[in-house]
């Protein structure tokens, strides 16, 4: 059974810069950019609550469909800029992907269980990088 990615409606942006980004944030929107090979970068604005829910529920490697001007573009979250005080998303970068395409992502490693008495747990890395299919990116690795 295929998992359908969430669809997020976006509007194209024509204004750029600090002032326009602040106006968007004041109106409850997040500015962002979609990068994809073969097409021009798409500058967009999305609803803050909707995008925050996608990142929170599906993780920082979330796969989603961005609907801009009636066109649905399959993409994944590449980078999230957050406000250091409020932790609100200030800006989001998305990476366009094709179905079946291999992508390289970093996935957090989570340790489970308790260490045996008298032992010390050492974890060499907090994240692991690797190539996987765009539709099969895990949220975390447990070990």
């Amino acid at each position: 059974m295929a998992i359908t990615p969430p669809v997020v409606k976006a509007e194209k942006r024509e204004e750029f810069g600090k002032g326009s980004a602040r106006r968007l944030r004041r109106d409850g929107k997040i500015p962002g950019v979609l990068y994809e090979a073969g097409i021009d970068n798409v500058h967009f604005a999305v609803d803050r609550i909707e995008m925050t829910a996608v990142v929170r529920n599906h993780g920082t490697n979330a796969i989603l469909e961005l609907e801009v001007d009636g066109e649905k573009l399959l993409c994944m979250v590449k980078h999230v800029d957050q406000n250091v005080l409020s932790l609100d998303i200030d800006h989001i970068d998305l990476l366009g992907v094709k179905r079946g395409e291999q992508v390289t992502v970093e996935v957090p490693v989570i340790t489970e269980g308790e260490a045996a008495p008298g032992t010390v747990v050492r974890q060499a890395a907090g994240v692991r990088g690797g190539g996987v299919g765009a539709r099969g990116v895990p949220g975390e690795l447990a070990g």
Side-chain angles (χ1 to χ4, degrees):
M1 175 169 90
I3 298 172
T4 57
V7 178
V8 177
K9 293 190 180 194
E11 54 193 50
K12 233 176 189 174
R13 291 191 293 141
E14 301 301 327
E15 288 185 337
F16 307 105
K18 190 185 329 182
S20 66
R22 285 182 178 167
R23 283 191 292 278
L24 285 171
R25 290 186 200 106
R26 182 187 63 219
D27 296 339
K29 298 190 182 295
I30 299 172
V33 181
L34 170 68
Y35 302 97
E36 186 172 355
I39 66 169
D40 290 335
N41 297 340
V42 178
H43 297 267
F44 61 89
V46 293
D47 180 64
R48 173 184 288 132
I49 294 172
E50 190 176 3
M51 186 55 79
T52 301
V54 169
V55 172
R56 191 170 285 152
N57 296 331
H58 297 277
T60 54
N61 291 325
I63 300 288
L64 59 112
E65 283 189 345
L66 190 70
E67 186 175 336
V68 182
D69 296 336
E71 182 183 1
K72 289 186 178 177
L73 304 165
L74 185 66
C75 54
M76 70 181 293
V77 176
K78 179 179 178 185
H79 182 75
V80 176
D81 284 333
Q82 287 183 301
N83 183 299
V84 294
L85 298 176
S86 67
L87 298 180
D88 288 339
I89 297 176
D90 281 343
H91 185 272
I92 191 159
D93 290 329
L94 303 177
L95 178 66
V97 294
K98 305 281 187 241
R99 286 170 173 34
E101 180 182 12
Q102 290 278 338
V103 293
T104 302
V105 295
E106 288 188 347
V107 180
V109 177
I110 308 298
T111 56
E112 292 182 343
E114 295 183 19
T119 62
V120 176
V121 176
R122 290 177 45 135
Q123 186 170 327
V127 293
R128 289 288 307 209
V132 294
R135 299 295 296 268
V137 177
E140 61 187 28
L141 296 174

